[in-house]
Amino acid sequence: MKKSLFVYAFLLGALFSVSAQVSADSPSATQWNTNFTSQTAYWTVNWNIGIPMGETNDYISKTSFRGISLDGRYFLTDEISIGGVASWQVFNERLRNLPPQPIEDQDGVQGDISGSQYRYLNAVPIMANAHYYTDLGSTTAYFGTGIGTMYSEQRTELGLNAFVDESWGFAFQPEVGVFIPIGWGDAGLNVAVRYLYGTASGDQDNVSALTFAVGFGWLY
Amino acid sequence: MKIKFSLWIVVAVLSLGLVSCYPDSDRPIEDYDSTSTFYDEDAFSPPPASVALFWEVNQVENDDEDDIDYNGEIDDEILNTTLENLVDLYGEANVTIISEDDIPSPTPSNSNVQVVTPSDADPTPDVDAVVAPSIILRNQYVGAIYPGYPWYPWWDWWYPCYYCGYPPYVSYTKYEVGTVILDMIDTSNLDDDPNTEDDTSPMWVAVFKGLVSSNESSNASRVITNIDQAFEQSPYLK
């Protein structure tokens, strides 16, 4: 966690430096006003915070601060876009003092295994999406959904043992968000709330998470 | 445009810095330990009422430079923790120590437990099961290293082919360096006839992975914790 906070502080510091450089290079504040009218594309890159829900919460209950997403959208009209999004969220949690886990019966031999568990879930959804935009004055709100596939890997490390399940499944992700111009040309803050659901096969649980995305958006 | 591109790079690279597939790589050593127990349900109907414990930790090695260096540093903890758990389960009167030496070493923590040695008039204790501890000093692909050889070099004086067919096939095809193993064998499957093959499949096996590490100060306490855990998660032993 300390490591994550350090990296995040570094990220903010680096962006502040870039911001100062942009301000020095930019011509005037009036040219920073940005809206979605007559734009052809909207790109965002975001830091994602994931809150596990449902079966995912049963496996890992800890909030994930390890996520990134890249979203590209093409405007069909001033209010509607289609595009695609790819993201990567890593959930992890250490669990101690768990009851012994039963081992699958083999030829009449039964067993149990105990020890500290390190659980990981890597979720990588890749989806096509569509959004509707509405002007809120100085900001632009949008809502939409993504539909596609998701690769997920569920890994439980118990002592020196690792139990791994991988799968590809169907995924969808409704979201609402807002674009906030901050005076960097056609760039601004992108803030969104997403609900991710993905199916999984085999012994792996379905993936369910509420995601808060904070990042930068660019209009072209 | 140059600034936009720079922003993209900064955000993308630093965001990726937040993400890694498997964080938490700096773990305390005890988190690498695991305790696995296996049992044959039929062999515990009924469970044993008396047991004998070999007072020696058998060192499984290849006698070459690839074996890890081990000089019995945690033998005391392995043997006495196992002894204490067996006494708790079956009672002092129903536990016997089998020692090659007349004076067992290390010293048993419970002096009330009977000790038998090969020099005794009757060296074969009348017990339902025997427990044998081992420690793996080199990665062992089981079945390939000791096919048909007695596990204990001094074991001939009691059951001629006691460990023929060892080790068990259950679950593990490879024992890793630093693994400690406890085997419990049903003595009713054994006989004194060297011409017949005994069923030496263990009725219970406890496997402790990762117990012997370079951190010698923690090895002893972790052995005790994990052996206690093995008995705790095996309520069917009695």
Side-chain angles (χ1 to χ4, degrees):
Chain A
M1 187 61 191
K2 285 180 182 175
K3 190 177 176 183
S4 298
L5 290 175
F6 174 78
V7 172
Y8 185 53
F10 179 69
L11 183 149
L12 289 177
L15 287 178
F16 183 77
S17 301
V18 173
S19 171
Q21 181 66 34
V22 170
S23 299
D25 296 342
S26 299
S28 70
T30 55
Q31 291 176 280
W32 295 340
N33 291 334
T34 305
N35 60 55
F36 278 64
T37 304
S38 301
Q39 302 291 345
T40 58
Y42 179 50
W43 286 84
T44 71
V45 58
N46 301 282
W47 171 46
N48 293 351
I49 300 169
I51 300 173
M53 303 180 74
E55 292 178 346
T56 303
N57 184 269
D58 294 339
Y59 180 65
I60 293 175
S61 61
K62 189 176 161 189
T63 297
S64 163
F65 293 90
R66 299 170 183 273
I68 182 175
S69 62
L70 178 63
D71 191 342
R73 306 172 192 174
Y74 174 76
F75 285 95
L76 298 176
T77 70
D78 287 348
E79 296 174 329
I80 297 173
S81 73
I82 58 170
V85 59
S87 62
W88 178 20
Q89 193 78 38
V90 182
F91 297 92
N92 68 294
E93 187 169 27
R94 178 182 67 190
L95 298 168
R96 286 173 165 154
N97 302 315
L98 292 172
Q101 306 293 301
I103 297 172
E104 193 172 337
D105 189 330
Q106 296 179 29
D107 299 326
V109 176
Q110 301 178 52
D112 299 279
I113 184 168
S114 58
S116 298
Q117 289 188 22
Y118 284 74
R119 295 181 177 180
Y120 303 96
L121 175 63
N122 278 263
V124 184
I126 302 168
M127 290 180 276
N129 59 20
H131 290 86
Y132 178 82
Y133 301 82
T134 182
D135 187 5
L136 298 179
S138 60
T139 63
T140 301
Y142 60 84
F143 65 90
T145 192
I147 296 176
T149 186
M150 184 180 70
Y151 167 78
S152 57
E153 184 202 69
Q154 186 171 297
R155 179 184 180 94
T156 302
E157 295 184 2
L158 200 165
L160 297 171
N161 310 284
F163 306 92
V164 183
D165 288 300
E166 295 175 294
S167 76
W168 285 90
F170 169 77
F172 70 91
Q173 180 175 257
E175 72 170 319
V176 295
V178 62
F179 172 76
I180 307 169
I182 53 173
W184 289 357
D186 291 332
L189 282 177
N190 181 71
V191 180
V193 180
R194 302 164 173 165
Y195 173 70
L196 171 65
Y197 186 85
T199 61
S201 57
D203 294 332
Q204 190 175 338
D205 298 327
N206 293 332
V207 175
S208 174
L210 189 66
T211 302
F212 296 92
V214 180
F216 288 89
W218 287 268
L219 288 163
Y220 292 92
Chain B
M1 189 63 187
K2 188 176 175 183
I3 292 168
K4 281 182 184 173
F5 182 72
S6 300
L7 275 171
W8 271 95
I9 296 297
V10 169
V11 173
V13 170
L14 293 178
S15 297
L16 280 171
L18 289 168
V19 182
S20 65
C21 289
Y22 312 115
D24 291 328
S25 56
D26 49 343
R27 305 177 188 177
I29 193 166
E30 61 268 22
D31 282 351
Y32 288 100
D33 298 340
S34 65
T35 300
S36 306
T37 48
F38 304 92
Y39 71 105
D40 180 354
E41 191 172 17
D42 293 340
F44 286 92
S45 303
S50 58
V51 296
L53 171 63
F54 282 110
W55 204 250
E56 177 178 318
V57 178
N58 184 50
Q59 298 181 14
V60 182
E61 55 193 357
N62 268 11
D63 291 328
D64 60 28
E65 68 277 4
D66 292 329
D67 293 337
I68 62 168
D69 190 27
Y70 178 74
N71 297 302
E73 288 86 349
I74 56 170
D75 279 5
D76 193 332
E77 286 77 13
I78 293 172
L79 293 169
N80 275 311
T81 307
T82 304
L83 175 64
E84 288 158 14
N85 277 283
L86 292 174
V87 167
D88 286 346
L89 273 178
Y90 303 106
E92 289 175 351
N94 297 310
V95 177
T96 304
I97 289 172
I98 302 172
S99 172
E100 187 179 21
D101 303 317
D102 291 339
I103 300 175
S105 177
T107 303
S109 58
N110 189 324
S111 58
N112 296 324
V113 172
Q114 180 191 9
V115 177
V116 298
T117 69
S119 60
D120 288 350
D122 181 12
T124 306
D126 182 17
V127 292
D128 296 335
V130 289
V131 174
S134 305
I135 187 168
I136 307 298
L137 302 180
R138 183 174 178 180
N139 286 345
Q140 297 287 332
Y141 287 93
V142 299
I145 306 299
Y146 288 93
Y149 290 94
W151 194 248
Y152 277 78
W154 48 274
W155 182 236
D156 291 353
W157 59 268
W158 190 13
Y159 294 116
C161 197
Y162 174 64
Y163 267 105
C164 293
Y166 193 88
Y169 61 89
V170 287
S171 183
Y172 287 88
T173 54
K174 182 182 177 184
Y175 288 147
E176 295 170 350
V177 164
T179 298
V180 173
I181 303 169
L182 295 178
D183 292 302
M184 178 181 283
I185 307 230
D186 186 348
T187 55
S188 67
N189 293 332
L190 309 174
D191 61 46
D192 294 327
D193 184 355
N195 298 315
T196 61
E197 187 172 335
D198 296 325
D199 177 8
T200 55
S201 302
M203 59 196 297
W204 178 72
V205 182
V207 180
F208 311 96
K209 272 180 141 181
L211 278 193
V212 182
S213 70
S214 57
N215 187 343
E216 294 183 5
S217 62
S218 73
N219 287 346
S221 63
R222 287 162 44 235
V223 164
I224 294 170
T225 300
N226 283 274
I227 291 179
D228 286 344
Q229 174 62 37
F231 282 90
E232 185 181 325
Q233 71 185 46
S234 304
Y236 43 81
L237 287 175
K238 171 116 189 199

